[in-house]
Amino acid sequence: MEIIIRAEKPSERGSCDAILREAYGGDAEANLATALRSTAEFNQNLSLVADNNSELLGYALYARVTVSGTAIMPAATLAVMGVRKEHQRIGVGERLVRHGLERCRGLKIDLVFAVGLPAYFARIGFQPAMPLGLKPDWAVPEDQFMVFDLSGSKLGKFSGIVSYPGPYHGR
């Protein structure tokens, strides 16, 4: 099966939200995606779908965040990601993450954050962010707050607060 990772089309937003509802068994992630799409931190090129030419298999949305402290730099977060149940465990999610990282690199974003299962994200190259002095401005379990250094040279050289878009604070 050929899988293409591409930018979400506005007409696909309902389908993307349905993928998130199915993957998580509720509305929270779909509501977050909807709210993020109307913020200044949204970039259409970082709202990605996995498509096999007949249906959407998965969805990932990256949103801009800012790291401030000893340095101020733009960064991004993998805000939400979901894969249809029948297409899980075949690499769709990992392809969405890796493709999103490359798109972030193309936009000169140095750091990408994610919240989720440490073993899953470590396999892709993420590492725990809080021991490196990077703390989110919302409540996140320390072991689940991860960072990927796209530059290969930023981590350990500064610390700070990672400021998330408004919808994170209204969850």
Side-chain angles (χ1 to χ4, degrees), residues 115 130 135-142 144-145 164 168-169 171:
V115 176
M130 287 193 208
K135 299 185 179 358
D137 67 350
W138 61 289
V140 176
E142 183 172 341
Q144 293 181 19
F145 187 59
Y164 275 72
Y168 277 86
H169 304 287
R171 288 182 96 179

Side-chain angles (χ1 to χ4, degrees), residues 15-27:
S15 297
C16 293
D17 292 348
I19 290 170
L20 294 172
R21 284 187 189 91
E22 177 187 328
Y24 291 95
D27 293 333

Side-chain angles (χ1 to χ4, degrees), residues 6 8 15 18 29 34-35 39 44 56 71 76 92 161 164 169:
R6 60 171 175 76
E8 165 199 48
S15 297
E29 287 75 13
T34 297
T39 67
Q44 180 66 38
L56 298 183
V92 174
I161 301 298
Y164 275 72
H169 304 287

